[in-house]
Amino acid sequence: MFLAIDDTDSPNKMCTTFILTEIIHDAGLDIIGMPRLVRLNPTIPFKTRGNASLAVQLGKGVGEKKKIGSILGKEIFSYDSGQESMDESDLMDIAEKVIYRYADLDYEGTNPGIVASKKAFDPAFYWKTVREVSKIDEAESFVMRNGGRFRKIKNGRGIIGAAAAIAWPRNTVTYELLFYSDDKGHQIPRDLKFGLSQKAETIPGTFNNIDHENRHAAIFPDQSTPVLMGIRSVIVEGFLDNVLKLDGISDIHYSRFMLYETNQASDDHIIENSTHFEDFHSYRIDGIISITPYSINGSHYFSEMVSDGKRIKIAAFEPTKEFRKVFRQLRPMDIVSVYGSIKNGTLNVEKMQVKTVSKIYERKAPVCSSCSVRTVNKGLNDYRCPICGKKVDIPSYELIKREISPGLYDVPVSARRHLSKPFSLLDRSPRTGDAF
Ligand code: ATP
């Protein structure tokens, strides 16, 4: 039985992934496959943080099992396959009780949804929800049409994400290992955070652990949440063991951990080859830069490109830090592919391929052919050699050295989106298909 939940947390309280661990604990069932942490359209205004939704397949495990977690001292295993062992409404009762116990229901934007289904859903709803905007009634009819059941708390918007998590086709799979504390206000010293991020970076397959340039330990959340630490990997074999062996890991005093399969770093949110561009959608746009970048307050940089006859405003905002140094070197006629989401009519660049850089010539006073010194401009088409006085009437045009070259440019780790696949991962592509 698939059980999925979404929209249980607020910016100051809880995390939906923690609530899922509690449901797994209370249900006392086996996990078939791995719990899913599915990121959805990153531009959705209702999101609290990273627009995550959660699903897990629960039942009576059959076949081989592997350890994937620990909840309050109890080891959690993943089974290759399983049989049904609880009906939808009993499982949803358990989920509902846990949500009422932990969710931040006083917060206006918290609108939990629970979805249960005996089978995976049609992937069409995942693609719609990761790339576009879905409605609550659309999710309701989709779940019913596909033989599932749902429960809504408050306006129940969470059923959108929950249904999408069951519909995720696992086309590109990466992994995240999350560690939690049951102890509110638990603090981890800065040095320990930085040290663990550096050590995590040495584990094969892990990514987005640390931002050296900005001294950012990216595996630790910035906000208040029961999540202590999250490490991501494109490789599952040995991942959990390698993390648990990290020197200093027990110093973060975790009370639970869980390994999830995810759609992170998949670029699933990116729409390619589109000819029209709208807010709340993310695209790859191929085109030609049409204006020299300019800045606002020296912190946000803007430019424009033309693609298929359409002008698109593009931006590198302050959080993209050193990426802006590359962005501001763009010049008209450079050929690029940019990736990012459109908000207020502007595409926020999250990575960029510079395909060709244009040749830019600067008009200069010519060099005297007799004395090899640069002439002096005396007026329109009148250049004079300061040594022999010879007159030259044609200026020279000299190629300017460009400060950017063709290549792949990522934003720094601290500015990366969960769904965005860094170019630096291209040579370590996430595997497609089964997690194990
Ligand atoms: P966290 O990452 O901390 O768990 P969050 O950022 O996932 O929080 P939620 O509190 O889950 O944010 O809120 C996101 C809400 O947006 C959910 O109700 C989800 O169902 C809904 N949602 C997600 N994707 C879409 C979409 N494409 N269209 C409409 N609603 C969506």
Side-chain angles (χ1 to χ4, degrees), residues 1-5 54-56 84 86-93 95 113-121 142-144 146-151 159 162-163 166:
M1 179 80 60
F2 283 98
L3 179 82
I5 55 165
L54 275 298
V56 64
E84 297 298 348
M86 197 183 274
D87 77 13
E88 285 111 323
S89 58
D90 290 343
L91 195 50
M92 288 202 287
D93 283 348
I114 307 169
V115 175
S117 171
K118 288 200 173 73
K119 57 179 181 58
F121 287 151
F142 171 80
V143 171
M144 311 238 275
N146 282 270
R149 307 261 302 268
F150 64 84
R151 280 199 202 160
I159 65 163
I166 300 180

PDB file of all heavy atoms in Angstrom, residues 1-5 54-56 84 86-93 95 113-121 142-144 146-151 159 162-163 166:
ATOM      1  N   MET A   1       0.841  -1.202   0.000  1.00  0.00           N
ATOM      2  CA  MET A   1       0.000   0.000   0.000  1.00  0.00           C
ATOM      3  C   MET A   1       0.878   1.254   0.000  1.00  0.00           C
ATOM      4  O   MET A   1       1.752   1.395   0.846  1.00  0.00           O
ATOM      5  CB  MET A   1      -0.861  -0.011   1.275  1.00  0.00           C
ATOM      6  CG  MET A   1      -1.765   1.172   1.417  1.00  0.00           C
ATOM      7  SD  MET A   1      -3.240   0.991   0.421  1.00  0.00           S
ATOM      8  CE  MET A   1      -3.948  -0.498   1.117  1.00  0.00           C
ATOM      9  N   PHE A   2       0.646   2.140  -0.996  1.00  0.00           N
ATOM     10  CA  PHE A   2       1.361   3.413  -0.976  1.00  0.00           C
ATOM     11  C   PHE A   2       0.641   4.368  -0.023  1.00  0.00           C
ATOM     12  O   PHE A   2      -0.590   4.488  -0.083  1.00  0.00           O
ATOM     13  CB  PHE A   2       1.352   4.061  -2.362  1.00  0.00           C
ATOM     14  CG  PHE A   2       2.323   3.427  -3.317  1.00  0.00           C
ATOM     15  CD1 PHE A   2       1.899   2.485  -4.240  1.00  0.00           C
ATOM     16  CD2 PHE A   2       3.656   3.808  -3.303  1.00  0.00           C
ATOM     17  CE1 PHE A   2       2.790   1.907  -5.129  1.00  0.00           C
ATOM     18  CE2 PHE A   2       4.554   3.241  -4.184  1.00  0.00           C
ATOM     19  CZ  PHE A   2       4.125   2.287  -5.102  1.00  0.00           C
ATOM     20  N   LEU A   3       1.427   5.055   0.795  1.00  0.00           N
ATOM     21  CA  LEU A   3       0.867   6.100   1.635  1.00  0.00           C
ATOM     22  C   LEU A   3       1.694   7.357   1.364  1.00  0.00           C
ATOM     23  O   LEU A   3       2.932   7.300   1.391  1.00  0.00           O
ATOM     24  CB  LEU A   3       0.984   5.726   3.111  1.00  0.00           C
ATOM     25  CG  LEU A   3       0.420   6.820   4.013  1.00  0.00           C
ATOM     26  CD1 LEU A   3      -1.094   6.697   4.105  1.00  0.00           C
ATOM     27  CD2 LEU A   3       1.041   6.768   5.389  1.00  0.00           C
ATOM     28  N   ALA A   4       1.019   8.465   1.093  1.00  0.00           N
ATOM     29  CA  ALA A   4       1.756   9.700   0.802  1.00  0.00           C
ATOM     30  C   ALA A   4       1.174  10.850   1.604  1.00  0.00           C
ATOM     31  O   ALA A   4      -0.037  10.888   1.874  1.00  0.00           O
ATOM     32  CB  ALA A   4       1.685  10.008  -0.685  1.00  0.00           C
ATOM     33  N   ILE A   5       2.052  11.762   2.002  1.00  0.00           N
ATOM     34  CA  ILE A   5       1.604  12.938   2.772  1.00  0.00           C
ATOM     35  C   ILE A   5       2.324  14.182   2.261  1.00  0.00           C
ATOM     36  O   ILE A   5       3.418  14.101   1.704  1.00  0.00           O
ATOM     37  CB  ILE A   5       1.878  12.788   4.292  1.00  0.00           C
ATOM     38  CG1 ILE A   5       3.371  12.487   4.543  1.00  0.00           C
ATOM     39  CG2 ILE A   5       0.995  11.714   4.896  1.00  0.00           C
ATOM     40  CD1 ILE A   5       3.776  12.686   6.002  1.00  0.00           C
ATOM     41  N   LEU A  54       6.114  13.372   0.228  1.00  0.00           N
ATOM     42  CA  LEU A  54       6.656  12.113   0.730  1.00  0.00           C
ATOM     43  C   LEU A  54       5.721  10.952   0.454  1.00  0.00           C
ATOM     44  O   LEU A  54       4.506  11.117   0.585  1.00  0.00           O
ATOM     45  CB  LEU A  54       6.816  12.215   2.253  1.00  0.00           C
ATOM     46  CG  LEU A  54       8.097  12.833   2.834  1.00  0.00           C
ATOM     47  CD1 LEU A  54       9.320  12.010   2.439  1.00  0.00           C
ATOM     48  CD2 LEU A  54       8.313  14.250   2.408  1.00  0.00           C
ATOM     49  N   ALA A  55       6.290   9.817   0.103  1.00  0.00           N
ATOM     50  CA  ALA A  55       5.471   8.607  -0.057  1.00  0.00           C
ATOM     51  C   ALA A  55       6.280   7.411   0.414  1.00  0.00           C
ATOM     52  O   ALA A  55       7.518   7.436   0.399  1.00  0.00           O
ATOM     53  CB  ALA A  55       5.066   8.428  -1.518  1.00  0.00           C
ATOM     54  N   VAL A  56       5.557   6.378   0.821  1.00  0.00           N
ATOM     55  CA  VAL A  56       6.230   5.134   1.208  1.00  0.00           C
ATOM     56  C   VAL A  56       5.276   3.978   0.899  1.00  0.00           C
ATOM     57  O   VAL A  56       4.057   4.148   0.948  1.00  0.00           O
ATOM     58  CB  VAL A  56       6.612   5.161   2.715  1.00  0.00           C
ATOM     59  CG1 VAL A  56       5.390   5.224   3.612  1.00  0.00           C
ATOM     60  CG2 VAL A  56       7.499   3.986   3.102  1.00  0.00           C
ATOM     61  N   GLU A  84       0.069  -6.876   0.818  1.00  0.00           N
ATOM     62  CA  GLU A  84      -0.780  -5.944   1.573  1.00  0.00           C
ATOM     63  C   GLU A  84      -1.024  -6.496   2.976  1.00  0.00           C
ATOM     64  O   GLU A  84      -1.240  -7.707   3.133  1.00  0.00           O
ATOM     65  CB  GLU A  84      -2.144  -5.776   0.889  1.00  0.00           C
ATOM     66  CG  GLU A  84      -2.100  -5.171  -0.506  1.00  0.00           C
ATOM     67  CD  GLU A  84      -1.538  -3.769  -0.529  1.00  0.00           C
ATOM     68  OE1 GLU A  84      -1.371  -3.129   0.526  1.00  0.00           O
ATOM     69  OE2 GLU A  84      -1.226  -3.304  -1.638  1.00  0.00           O
ATOM     70  N   MET A  86      -2.562  -4.089   5.561  1.00  0.00           N
ATOM     71  CA  MET A  86      -3.452  -3.180   6.299  1.00  0.00           C
ATOM     72  C   MET A  86      -4.311  -2.461   5.263  1.00  0.00           C
ATOM     73  O   MET A  86      -3.835  -2.183   4.161  1.00  0.00           O
ATOM     74  CB  MET A  86      -2.607  -2.144   7.048  1.00  0.00           C
ATOM     75  CG  MET A  86      -3.368  -1.415   8.140  1.00  0.00           C
ATOM     76  SD  MET A  86      -2.387  -0.136   8.948  1.00  0.00           S
ATOM     77  CE  MET A  86      -1.520  -1.022  10.193  1.00  0.00           C
ATOM     78  N   ASP A  87      -5.563  -2.168   5.591  1.00  0.00           N
ATOM     79  CA  ASP A  87      -6.354  -1.500   4.551  1.00  0.00           C
ATOM     80  C   ASP A  87      -6.146   0.012   4.592  1.00  0.00           C
ATOM     81  O   ASP A  87      -5.595   0.561   5.548  1.00  0.00           O
ATOM     82  CB  ASP A  87      -7.818  -1.935   4.569  1.00  0.00           C
ATOM     83  CG  ASP A  87      -8.607  -1.280   5.672  1.00  0.00           C
ATOM     84  OD1 ASP A  87      -8.097  -0.324   6.270  1.00  0.00           O
ATOM     85  OD2 ASP A  87      -9.745  -1.731   5.919  1.00  0.00           O
ATOM     86  N   GLU A  88      -6.611   0.656   3.506  1.00  0.00           N
ATOM     87  CA  GLU A  88      -6.330   2.090   3.322  1.00  0.00           C
ATOM     88  C   GLU A  88      -6.775   2.919   4.519  1.00  0.00           C
ATOM     89  O   GLU A  88      -6.044   3.773   4.994  1.00  0.00           O
ATOM     90  CB  GLU A  88      -7.071   2.650   2.103  1.00  0.00           C
ATOM     91  CG  GLU A  88      -6.505   2.286   0.773  1.00  0.00           C
ATOM     92  CD  GLU A  88      -7.428   1.358   0.032  1.00  0.00           C
ATOM     93  OE1 GLU A  88      -8.042   0.498   0.708  1.00  0.00           O
ATOM     94  OE2 GLU A  88      -7.538   1.483  -1.203  1.00  0.00           O
ATOM     95  N   SER A  89      -8.019   2.654   4.994  1.00  0.00           N
ATOM     96  CA  SER A  89      -8.529   3.579   6.006  1.00  0.00           C
ATOM     97  C   SER A  89      -7.796   3.424   7.336  1.00  0.00           C
ATOM     98  O   SER A  89      -7.534   4.411   8.017  1.00  0.00           O
ATOM     99  CB  SER A  89     -10.041   3.481   6.150  1.00  0.00           C
ATOM    100  OG  SER A  89     -10.368   2.190   6.474  1.00  0.00           O
ATOM    101  N   ASP A  90      -7.365   2.192   7.697  1.00  0.00           N
ATOM    102  CA  ASP A  90      -6.606   2.033   8.942  1.00  0.00           C
ATOM    103  C   ASP A  90      -5.263   2.761   8.849  1.00  0.00           C
ATOM    104  O   ASP A  90      -4.832   3.429   9.786  1.00  0.00           O
ATOM    105  CB  ASP A  90      -6.364   0.544   9.252  1.00  0.00           C
ATOM    106  CG  ASP A  90      -7.663  -0.159   9.650  1.00  0.00           C
ATOM    107  OD1 ASP A  90      -8.632   0.548   9.994  1.00  0.00           O
ATOM    108  OD2 ASP A  90      -7.710  -1.404   9.595  1.00  0.00           O
ATOM    109  N   LEU A  91      -4.623   2.628   7.682  1.00  0.00           N
ATOM    110  CA  LEU A  91      -3.326   3.281   7.495  1.00  0.00           C
ATOM    111  C   LEU A  91      -3.496   4.807   7.505  1.00  0.00           C
ATOM    112  O   LEU A  91      -2.693   5.533   8.112  1.00  0.00           O
ATOM    113  CB  LEU A  91      -2.712   2.802   6.174  1.00  0.00           C
ATOM    114  CG  LEU A  91      -1.237   3.088   5.958  1.00  0.00           C
ATOM    115  CD1 LEU A  91      -0.389   2.658   7.143  1.00  0.00           C
ATOM    116  CD2 LEU A  91      -0.742   2.379   4.690  1.00  0.00           C
ATOM    117  N   MET A  92      -4.558   5.287   6.857  1.00  0.00           N
ATOM    118  CA  MET A  92      -4.783   6.740   6.841  1.00  0.00           C
ATOM    119  C   MET A  92      -5.136   7.248   8.242  1.00  0.00           C
ATOM    120  O   MET A  92      -4.788   8.367   8.591  1.00  0.00           O
ATOM    121  CB  MET A  92      -5.837   7.112   5.805  1.00  0.00           C
ATOM    122  CG  MET A  92      -5.286   6.966   4.392  1.00  0.00           C
ATOM    123  SD  MET A  92      -6.161   7.936   3.154  1.00  0.00           S
ATOM    124  CE  MET A  92      -7.640   7.048   3.009  1.00  0.00           C
ATOM    125  N   ASP A  93      -5.799   6.402   9.057  1.00  0.00           N
ATOM    126  CA  ASP A  93      -6.093   6.805  10.455  1.00  0.00           C
ATOM    127  C   ASP A  93      -4.795   7.053  11.219  1.00  0.00           C
ATOM    128  O   ASP A  93      -4.668   8.035  11.951  1.00  0.00           O
ATOM    129  CB  ASP A  93      -6.849   5.685  11.202  1.00  0.00           C
ATOM    130  CG  ASP A  93      -8.323   5.638  10.809  1.00  0.00           C
ATOM    131  OD1 ASP A  93      -8.785   6.590  10.156  1.00  0.00           O
ATOM    132  OD2 ASP A  93      -8.983   4.627  11.152  1.00  0.00           O
ATOM    133  N   ALA A  95      -1.841   7.766   9.937  1.00  0.00           N
ATOM    134  CA  ALA A  95      -1.180   8.968   9.388  1.00  0.00           C
ATOM    135  C   ALA A  95      -1.856  10.236   9.921  1.00  0.00           C
ATOM    136  O   ALA A  95      -1.186  11.194  10.322  1.00  0.00           O
ATOM    137  CB  ALA A  95      -1.238   8.927   7.860  1.00  0.00           C
ATOM    138  N   GLY A 113      -2.416  16.901   3.403  1.00  0.00           N
ATOM    139  CA  GLY A 113      -3.167  15.951   2.580  1.00  0.00           C
ATOM    140  C   GLY A 113      -2.561  14.577   2.744  1.00  0.00           C
ATOM    141  O   GLY A 113      -1.345  14.433   2.910  1.00  0.00           O
ATOM    142  N   ILE A 114      -3.431  13.556   2.735  1.00  0.00           N
ATOM    143  CA  ILE A 114      -2.982  12.159   2.839  1.00  0.00           C
ATOM    144  C   ILE A 114      -3.590  11.417   1.656  1.00  0.00           C
ATOM    145  O   ILE A 114      -4.783  11.587   1.364  1.00  0.00           O
ATOM    146  CB  ILE A 114      -3.505  11.482   4.141  1.00  0.00           C
ATOM    147  CG1 ILE A 114      -3.158  12.324   5.369  1.00  0.00           C
ATOM    148  CG2 ILE A 114      -2.993  10.054   4.268  1.00  0.00           C
ATOM    149  CD1 ILE A 114      -3.863  11.862   6.651  1.00  0.00           C
ATOM    150  N   VAL A 115      -2.774  10.617   0.979  1.00  0.00           N
ATOM    151  CA  VAL A 115      -3.295   9.816  -0.130  1.00  0.00           C
ATOM    152  C   VAL A 115      -2.818   8.384   0.071  1.00  0.00           C
ATOM    153  O   VAL A 115      -1.671   8.149   0.476  1.00  0.00           O
ATOM    154  CB  VAL A 115      -2.809  10.358  -1.502  1.00  0.00           C
ATOM    155  CG1 VAL A 115      -3.268   9.449  -2.643  1.00  0.00           C
ATOM    156  CG2 VAL A 115      -3.313  11.781  -1.741  1.00  0.00           C
ATOM    157  N   ALA A 116      -3.713   7.414  -0.170  1.00  0.00           N
ATOM    158  CA  ALA A 116      -3.324   6.000  -0.098  1.00  0.00           C
ATOM    159  C   ALA A 116      -3.768   5.300  -1.373  1.00  0.00           C
ATOM    160  O   ALA A 116      -4.806   5.644  -1.955  1.00  0.00           O
ATOM    161  CB  ALA A 116      -3.971   5.338   1.118  1.00  0.00           C
ATOM    162  N   SER A 117      -2.948   4.368  -1.810  1.00  0.00           N
ATOM    163  CA  SER A 117      -3.305   3.636  -3.031  1.00  0.00           C
ATOM    164  C   SER A 117      -2.610   2.276  -3.039  1.00  0.00           C
ATOM    165  O   SER A 117      -1.453   2.160  -2.619  1.00  0.00           O
ATOM    166  CB  SER A 117      -2.864   4.437  -4.259  1.00  0.00           C
ATOM    167  OG  SER A 117      -3.005   3.651  -5.420  1.00  0.00           O
ATOM    168  N   LYS A 118      -3.317   1.278  -3.559  1.00  0.00           N
ATOM    169  CA  LYS A 118      -2.718  -0.064  -3.637  1.00  0.00           C
ATOM    170  C   LYS A 118      -1.691  -0.125  -4.757  1.00  0.00           C
ATOM    171  O   LYS A 118      -0.827  -0.979  -4.776  1.00  0.00           O
ATOM    172  CB  LYS A 118      -3.809  -1.112  -3.878  1.00  0.00           C
ATOM    173  CG  LYS A 118      -4.679  -1.353  -2.659  1.00  0.00           C
ATOM    174  CD  LYS A 118      -5.396  -2.703  -2.775  1.00  0.00           C
ATOM    175  CE  LYS A 118      -6.128  -3.062  -1.508  1.00  0.00           C
ATOM    176  NZ  LYS A 118      -7.348  -2.265  -1.285  1.00  0.00           N
ATOM    177  N   LYS A 119      -1.820   0.778  -5.747  1.00  0.00           N
ATOM    178  CA  LYS A 119      -0.860   0.733  -6.865  1.00  0.00           C
ATOM    179  C   LYS A 119      -0.328   2.128  -7.161  1.00  0.00           C
ATOM    180  O   LYS A 119      -0.936   3.129  -6.744  1.00  0.00           O
ATOM    181  CB  LYS A 119      -1.524   0.122  -8.113  1.00  0.00           C
ATOM    182  CG  LYS A 119      -2.763   0.853  -8.561  1.00  0.00           C
ATOM    183  CD  LYS A 119      -3.333   0.202  -9.805  1.00  0.00           C
ATOM    184  CE  LYS A 119      -4.577   0.908 -10.340  1.00  0.00           C
ATOM    185  NZ  LYS A 119      -4.465   2.289 -10.696  1.00  0.00           N
ATOM    186  N   ALA A 120       0.812   2.158  -7.884  1.00  0.00           N
ATOM    187  CA  ALA A 120       1.405   3.447  -8.256  1.00  0.00           C
ATOM    188  C   ALA A 120       0.460   4.158  -9.221  1.00  0.00           C
ATOM    189  O   ALA A 120      -0.318   3.513  -9.934  1.00  0.00           O
ATOM    190  CB  ALA A 120       2.762   3.226  -8.893  1.00  0.00           C
ATOM    191  N   PHE A 121       0.528   5.485  -9.244  1.00  0.00           N
ATOM    192  CA  PHE A 121      -0.375   6.262 -10.107  1.00  0.00           C
ATOM    193  C   PHE A 121       0.244   6.550 -11.478  1.00  0.00           C
ATOM    194  O   PHE A 121       1.458   6.463 -11.662  1.00  0.00           O
ATOM    195  CB  PHE A 121      -0.685   7.604  -9.444  1.00  0.00           C
ATOM    196  CG  PHE A 121      -1.606   7.517  -8.254  1.00  0.00           C
ATOM    197  CD1 PHE A 121      -1.505   8.469  -7.240  1.00  0.00           C
ATOM    198  CD2 PHE A 121      -2.573   6.532  -8.142  1.00  0.00           C
ATOM    199  CE1 PHE A 121      -2.344   8.435  -6.140  1.00  0.00           C
ATOM    200  CE2 PHE A 121      -3.426   6.483  -7.046  1.00  0.00           C
ATOM    201  CZ  PHE A 121      -3.307   7.431  -6.041  1.00  0.00           C
ATOM    202  N   PHE A 142      -8.175  12.933  -9.822  1.00  0.00           N
ATOM    203  CA  PHE A 142      -7.109  12.052 -10.301  1.00  0.00           C
ATOM    204  C   PHE A 142      -6.967  10.833  -9.377  1.00  0.00           C
ATOM    205  O   PHE A 142      -6.903   9.690  -9.835  1.00  0.00           O
ATOM    206  CB  PHE A 142      -5.780  12.818 -10.384  1.00  0.00           C
ATOM    207  CG  PHE A 142      -4.593  11.946 -10.658  1.00  0.00           C
ATOM    208  CD1 PHE A 142      -4.308  11.514 -11.954  1.00  0.00           C
ATOM    209  CD2 PHE A 142      -3.773  11.512  -9.624  1.00  0.00           C
ATOM    210  CE1 PHE A 142      -3.234  10.672 -12.201  1.00  0.00           C
ATOM    211  CE2 PHE A 142      -2.691  10.667  -9.859  1.00  0.00           C
ATOM    212  CZ  PHE A 142      -2.423  10.251 -11.159  1.00  0.00           C
ATOM    213  N   VAL A 143      -6.948  11.086  -8.053  1.00  0.00           N
ATOM    214  CA  VAL A 143      -6.767   9.982  -7.090  1.00  0.00           C
ATOM    215  C   VAL A 143      -7.937   8.999  -7.202  1.00  0.00           C
ATOM    216  O   VAL A 143      -7.743   7.776  -7.266  1.00  0.00           O
ATOM    217  CB  VAL A 143      -6.640  10.537  -5.642  1.00  0.00           C
ATOM    218  CG1 VAL A 143      -6.677   9.410  -4.617  1.00  0.00           C
ATOM    219  CG2 VAL A 143      -5.354  11.347  -5.492  1.00  0.00           C
ATOM    220  N   MET A 144      -9.156   9.534  -7.284  1.00  0.00           N
ATOM    221  CA  MET A 144     -10.335   8.643  -7.348  1.00  0.00           C
ATOM    222  C   MET A 144     -10.331   7.831  -8.635  1.00  0.00           C
ATOM    223  O   MET A 144     -10.589   6.635  -8.618  1.00  0.00           O
ATOM    224  CB  MET A 144     -11.610   9.475  -7.270  1.00  0.00           C
ATOM    225  CG  MET A 144     -11.550  10.457  -6.135  1.00  0.00           C
ATOM    226  SD  MET A 144     -12.851  10.264  -4.978  1.00  0.00           S
ATOM    227  CE  MET A 144     -14.100  11.191  -5.735  1.00  0.00           C
ATOM    228  N   ASN A 146      -7.894   6.864 -10.267  1.00  0.00           N
ATOM    229  CA  ASN A 146      -6.834   5.850 -10.231  1.00  0.00           C
ATOM    230  C   ASN A 146      -7.007   4.853  -9.092  1.00  0.00           C
ATOM    231  O   ASN A 146      -6.084   4.130  -8.741  1.00  0.00           O
ATOM    232  CB  ASN A 146      -5.473   6.533 -10.126  1.00  0.00           C
ATOM    233  CG  ASN A 146      -5.020   7.077 -11.471  1.00  0.00           C
ATOM    234  OD1 ASN A 146      -4.361   6.389 -12.237  1.00  0.00           O
ATOM    235  ND2 ASN A 146      -5.420   8.296 -11.776  1.00  0.00           N
ATOM    236  N   GLY A 147      -8.170   4.851  -8.479  1.00  0.00           N
ATOM    237  CA  GLY A 147      -8.476   3.838  -7.457  1.00  0.00           C
ATOM    238  C   GLY A 147      -7.874   4.128  -6.096  1.00  0.00           C
ATOM    239  O   GLY A 147      -7.798   3.242  -5.248  1.00  0.00           O
ATOM    240  N   GLY A 148      -7.420   5.367  -5.859  1.00  0.00           N
ATOM    241  CA  GLY A 148      -6.839   5.705  -4.557  1.00  0.00           C
ATOM    242  C   GLY A 148      -7.859   6.339  -3.625  1.00  0.00           C
ATOM    243  O   GLY A 148      -9.031   6.528  -3.988  1.00  0.00           O
ATOM    244  N   ARG A 149      -7.407   6.643  -2.398  1.00  0.00           N
ATOM    245  CA  ARG A 149      -8.258   7.328  -1.413  1.00  0.00           C
ATOM    246  C   ARG A 149      -7.496   8.520  -0.881  1.00  0.00           C
ATOM    247  O   ARG A 149      -6.266   8.514  -0.874  1.00  0.00           O
ATOM    248  CB  ARG A 149      -8.574   6.386  -0.244  1.00  0.00           C
ATOM    249  CG  ARG A 149      -9.165   5.044  -0.650  1.00  0.00           C
ATOM    250  CD  ARG A 149     -10.670   5.037  -0.499  1.00  0.00           C
ATOM    251  NE  ARG A 149     -11.071   5.341   0.865  1.00  0.00           N
ATOM    252  CZ  ARG A 149     -11.290   4.445   1.814  1.00  0.00           C
ATOM    253  NH1 ARG A 149     -11.109   3.157   1.547  1.00  0.00           N
ATOM    254  NH2 ARG A 149     -11.692   4.801   3.016  1.00  0.00           N
ATOM    255  N   PHE A 150      -8.217   9.549  -0.432  1.00  0.00           N
ATOM    256  CA  PHE A 150      -7.491  10.693   0.129  1.00  0.00           C
ATOM    257  C   PHE A 150      -8.213  11.237   1.342  1.00  0.00           C
ATOM    258  O   PHE A 150      -9.399  10.994   1.550  1.00  0.00           O
ATOM    259  CB  PHE A 150      -7.312  11.800  -0.927  1.00  0.00           C
ATOM    260  CG  PHE A 150      -8.600  12.404  -1.403  1.00  0.00           C
ATOM    261  CD1 PHE A 150      -9.226  13.426  -0.686  1.00  0.00           C
ATOM    262  CD2 PHE A 150      -9.195  11.942  -2.569  1.00  0.00           C
ATOM    263  CE1 PHE A 150     -10.417  13.969  -1.114  1.00  0.00           C
ATOM    264  CE2 PHE A 150     -10.389  12.484  -3.002  1.00  0.00           C
ATOM    265  CZ  PHE A 150     -11.005  13.494  -2.282  1.00  0.00           C
ATOM    266  N   ARG A 151      -7.444  11.982   2.153  1.00  0.00           N
ATOM    267  CA  ARG A 151      -8.043  12.730   3.263  1.00  0.00           C
ATOM    268  C   ARG A 151      -7.440  14.115   3.264  1.00  0.00           C
ATOM    269  O   ARG A 151      -6.232  14.255   3.028  1.00  0.00           O
ATOM    270  CB  ARG A 151      -7.730  12.063   4.600  1.00  0.00           C
ATOM    271  CG  ARG A 151      -8.651  10.911   4.809  1.00  0.00           C
ATOM    272  CD  ARG A 151      -8.709  10.499   6.248  1.00  0.00           C
ATOM    273  NE  ARG A 151      -9.179   9.116   6.231  1.00  0.00           N
ATOM    274  CZ  ARG A 151      -9.027   8.275   7.208  1.00  0.00           C
ATOM    275  NH1 ARG A 151      -8.414   8.659   8.314  1.00  0.00           N
ATOM    276  NH2 ARG A 151      -9.486   7.050   7.111  1.00  0.00           N
ATOM    277  N   ILE A 159      -2.837  17.163  -0.769  1.00  0.00           N
ATOM    278  CA  ILE A 159      -3.117  15.960  -1.585  1.00  0.00           C
ATOM    279  C   ILE A 159      -2.522  16.102  -2.989  1.00  0.00           C
ATOM    280  O   ILE A 159      -2.287  15.107  -3.665  1.00  0.00           O
ATOM    281  CB  ILE A 159      -4.623  15.582  -1.672  1.00  0.00           C
ATOM    282  CG1 ILE A 159      -5.412  16.646  -2.398  1.00  0.00           C
ATOM    283  CG2 ILE A 159      -5.203  15.274  -0.298  1.00  0.00           C
ATOM    284  CD1 ILE A 159      -6.775  16.131  -2.851  1.00  0.00           C
ATOM    285  N   ALA A 162       1.015  14.875  -2.457  1.00  0.00           N
ATOM    286  CA  ALA A 162       0.966  13.463  -2.059  1.00  0.00           C
ATOM    287  C   ALA A 162       0.642  12.576  -3.265  1.00  0.00           C
ATOM    288  O   ALA A 162       1.297  11.547  -3.494  1.00  0.00           O
ATOM    289  CB  ALA A 162      -0.074  13.283  -0.947  1.00  0.00           C
ATOM    290  N   ALA A 163      -0.338  12.993  -4.076  1.00  0.00           N
ATOM    291  CA  ALA A 163      -0.692  12.200  -5.267  1.00  0.00           C
ATOM    292  C   ALA A 163       0.481  12.167  -6.251  1.00  0.00           C
ATOM    293  O   ALA A 163       0.785  11.122  -6.846  1.00  0.00           O
ATOM    294  CB  ALA A 163      -1.934  12.794  -5.938  1.00  0.00           C
ATOM    295  N   ILE A 166       3.149   9.584  -5.364  1.00  0.00           N
ATOM    296  CA  ILE A 166       2.807   8.194  -5.733  1.00  0.00           C
ATOM    297  C   ILE A 166       2.894   8.022  -7.260  1.00  0.00           C
ATOM    298  O   ILE A 166       3.133   6.927  -7.758  1.00  0.00           O
ATOM    299  CB  ILE A 166       1.403   7.809  -5.188  1.00  0.00           C
ATOM    300  CG1 ILE A 166       1.388   7.924  -3.661  1.00  0.00           C
ATOM    301  CG2 ILE A 166       1.009   6.391  -5.610  1.00  0.00           C
ATOM    302  CD1 ILE A 166       0.055   7.564  -2.994  1.00  0.00           C
TER     303      ILE A 166
END
